[in-house]
Amino acid sequence: MVTPDKLTLTTRDDRVAAVPYLVGFTPTNSLVVVVLDGRQVRFAARLDLPHPSDLADLAVPAAQNAAMIARHGSAAFLVGYGPADRVAPAATLLTTALTTAGVDVLEALRVGDGRYWCLCGDAGCADGVAYDPAGSRIAAEAVYRGLAPLPDRGALERLITPVSGPERVRMRTATYTALSRMAVMLAEGAVSTASGGQPVAPEHMVRAGIAAVQQAYESAARDEPLSDDEVGWLTAVLMVPEIRDHAWITCDGSDAQRRLWIDVTRRAMPATSAAPACLLAITAYLAGGGAMANIAVHRALYADPDYHLAHLLGHALRSGVSPQQWRAATTGTAE
């Protein structure tokens, strides 16, 4: 994915070509709003394309989304993917809401079959304008970085499909061994209680867990995959809140960490998958990958419907909290 804060768009072709890189995949039946501060992209949000009969019920959510967008940028453009009779009414509804919230809507476009149409009455593209996304400056920059958008949202979801077959058997064994090791460490040290009544893991266990997190980050930076035993141990110690929180506040949004948490999430057993899925969500979130962040949050909640961090992340994503605000709030550093 092209990092939004490094992307400057100057032409319609740039805008159309950028969207799949901004959201991480080629949208379908979607309305994408790209929020700008001047010419600089702040972030992109993808909305499911509503049916025209549902538009009356979406006025309030549209106004809420527009108010959130207004907090982060002064201008936006819309790109719709789908039939004209669904894209145009949805774009009109969101344009009205954004304008009311004080956001300048530069234009609204509809994309399909290698062409785009302007929905703002520009006669120059009434019949559609052919464009070659592969030949754009945006694509060239992405190729230089070794990046390519996935074909659809389903492909993004499949990145964290749980392992199966012999690999799952190996991971089950490795996880059982890791949990047994944790049980021994718990027996060796007294578990204290925090002021809120929550148990606190023994100090030597926390130290060992933080070391495992640091080793995982270092291996990721060297592009070295973790062994089954390393993943089993990592997912086990991440069940300890103090260790998970250390991993959380040291997430940096890098491609290396994103690859790490994708790998760990897909290899984790169901009982230990909520924490790595949340860490993937945070890493994707910090890099502007809202789609992957949402998918990872859903994976965490599927594993544990009561997982507090997943609910916290989901609320932040729905509320439009920016990655910068999230980092400031969770690390105590200035935005």
Side-chain angles (χ1 to χ4, degrees):
M1 187 180 80
V2 176
T3 305
D5 62 7
K6 296 181 180 179
L7 193 59
T8 302
L9 309 178
T10 57
T11 68
R12 280 181 178 160
D13 281 14
D14 285 348
R15 292 171 182 173
V16 171
V19 169
Y21 295 97
L22 290 170
V23 301
F25 59 94
T26 301
T28 57
N29 294 319
S30 303
L31 183 62
V32 177
V33 54
V34 180
V35 182
L36 308 171
D37 183 8
R39 288 186 174 182
Q40 197 77 23
V41 174
R42 290 299 303 272
F43 69 92
R46 188 203 68 87
L47 310 172
D48 289 332
L49 198 61
H51 192 278
S53 62
D54 298 328
L55 286 176
D57 298 327
L58 296 177
V60 172
Q64 293 171 338
N65 286 330
M68 175 273 291
I69 289 169
R71 295 199 299 268
H72 301 294
S74 58
F77 65 89
L78 310 180
V79 183
Y81 296 79
D85 62 350
R86 292 184 63 189
V87 171
T92 297
L93 175 67
L94 188 54
T95 295
T96 300
L98 287 167
T99 302
T100 301
V103 178
D104 182 20
V105 179
L106 303 178
E107 62 185 351
L109 305 171
R110 183 175 75 87
V111 175
D113 299 324
R115 305 180 77 83
Y116 62 80
W117 293 260
C118 180
L119 303 179
C120 48
D122 187 336
C125 60
D127 296 325
V129 175
Y131 78 104
D132 176 16
S136 72
R137 176 182 60 86
I138 302 300
E141 180 179 349
V143 168
Y144 176 76
R145 298 184 186 183
L147 303 174
L150 293 171
D152 52 35
R153 183 182 172 89
L156 203 60
E157 294 171 343
R158 289 190 291 274
L159 287 176
I160 55 172
T161 298
V163 295
S164 59
E167 189 174 8
R168 186 178 181 87
V169 173
R170 294 197 308 270
M171 281 309 310
R172 184 184 298 117
T173 300
T175 303
Y176 178 80
T177 299
L179 292 173
S180 298
R181 177 183 172 191
M182 277 188 65
V184 171
M185 295 183 74
L186 284 169
E188 291 174 344
V191 178
S192 58
T193 302
S195 57
Q198 297 297 318
V200 177
E203 185 177 346
H204 70 290
M205 174 177 283
V206 174
R207 288 198 304 269
I210 289 175
V213 171
Q214 186 60 37
Q215 178 184 345
Y217 282 157
E218 291 172 358
S219 295
R222 296 191 298 267
D223 200 24
E224 296 175 355
L226 300 183
S227 69
D228 293 339
D229 288 340
E230 288 171 332
V231 171
W233 178 239
L234 182 61
T235 59
V237 297
L238 286 172
M239 297 175 71
V240 178
E242 298 94 327
I243 299 170
R244 180 208 62 196
D245 291 351
H246 170 81
W248 163 11
I249 64 174
T250 51
C251 284
D252 60 12
S254 65
D255 288 342
Q257 287 192 7
R258 180 177 178 272
R259 291 192 298 270
L260 167 70
W261 294 124
I262 285 175
D263 183 48
V264 175
T265 298
R266 61 183 291 275
R267 294 166 69 187
M269 292 295 97
T272 61
S273 63
C278 281
L279 293 167
L280 170 58
I282 292 170
T283 303
Y285 188 15
L286 293 176
M292 175 56 87
N294 275 296
I295 288 168
V297 165
H298 291 158
R299 171 69 180 277
L301 290 174
Y302 182 81
D304 183 351
D306 297 321
Y307 202 67
H308 177 71
L309 179 55
H311 284 286
L312 180 64
L313 278 163
H315 177 73
L317 289 163
R318 289 189 300 272
S319 301
V321 175
S322 71
Q324 295 81 10
Q325 290 171 320
W326 172 269
R327 178 171 289 285
T330 56
T331 66
T333 57
E335 184 177 347

